[in-house]
Amino acid sequence: MARYTCSFTIGLSIDRLQPLLLELLQGCDLEIQYYKSDYILAREIPGNVSFSKSVKVEVFIDRSSATETESRMNVIVKNEELPIHLENHCRKMFEFVKEEIEHSRHWHLIESLAG
């Protein structure tokens, strides 16, 4: 199973973060499957790639460390394909989602740590 993670610190209040994340993920051609105040699950729209390559994105929002001006979140991008090659579909989607978060005009990126 391919799995890529990244942690972000964003200069934005936690109350404003989730709606903007939902919009950002949908803009990445991901379908929102489930969400609550501190968690979002999205997946690639079926039919674009084979089932084993279809990517799921999980976002965990850290409510315990949030302040009025800063929010933290962890993003996991995964699928069922074996990451035999460095350039695989899951990795490409991870890089795409990561760049969208890092370059969003809706917030100020304070820190980004890829795992």
Side-chain angles (χ1 to χ4, degrees), residues 29-84:
D29 288 332
L30 296 167
E31 179 179 67
I32 305 302
Q33 295 289 292
Y34 177 80
Y35 67 93
K36 59 182 187 175
S37 63
D38 60 351
Y39 177 78
I40 300 171
L41 173 63
R43 70 174 179 156
E44 263 187 290
I45 297 171
N48 294 337
V49 294
S50 66
F51 179 76
S52 65
K53 290 185 178 184
S54 182
V55 168
K56 289 185 180 179
V57 177
E58 290 182 288
V59 180
F60 298 90
I61 301 169
D62 185 0
R63 298 188 77 73
S64 65
S65 66
T67 67
E68 291 291 319
T69 59
E70 251 182 53
S71 301
R72 291 185 183 165
M73 64 180 167
N74 295 311
V75 177
I76 300 171
V77 179
K78 61 186 178 180
N79 70 3
E80 296 298 322
E81 91 182 293
L82 294 173
I84 297 170

Side-chain angles (χ1 to χ4, degrees), residues 72-110:
R72 291 185 183 165
M73 64 180 167
N74 295 311
V75 177
I76 300 171
V77 179
K78 61 186 178 180
N79 70 3
E80 296 298 322
E81 91 182 293
L82 294 173
I84 297 170
H85 304 288
L86 183 60
E87 289 296 317
N88 58 65
H89 180 69
C90 189
R91 175 78 178 195
K92 289 177 186 174
M93 283 299 293
F94 169 74
E95 292 296 335
F96 177 63
V97 171
K98 182 176 172 281
E99 285 182 23
E100 290 295 307
I101 292 170
E102 290 175 342
H103 298 106
S104 176
R105 63 181 177 84
H106 296 291
W107 53 65
H108 169 70
L109 178 69
I110 297 170

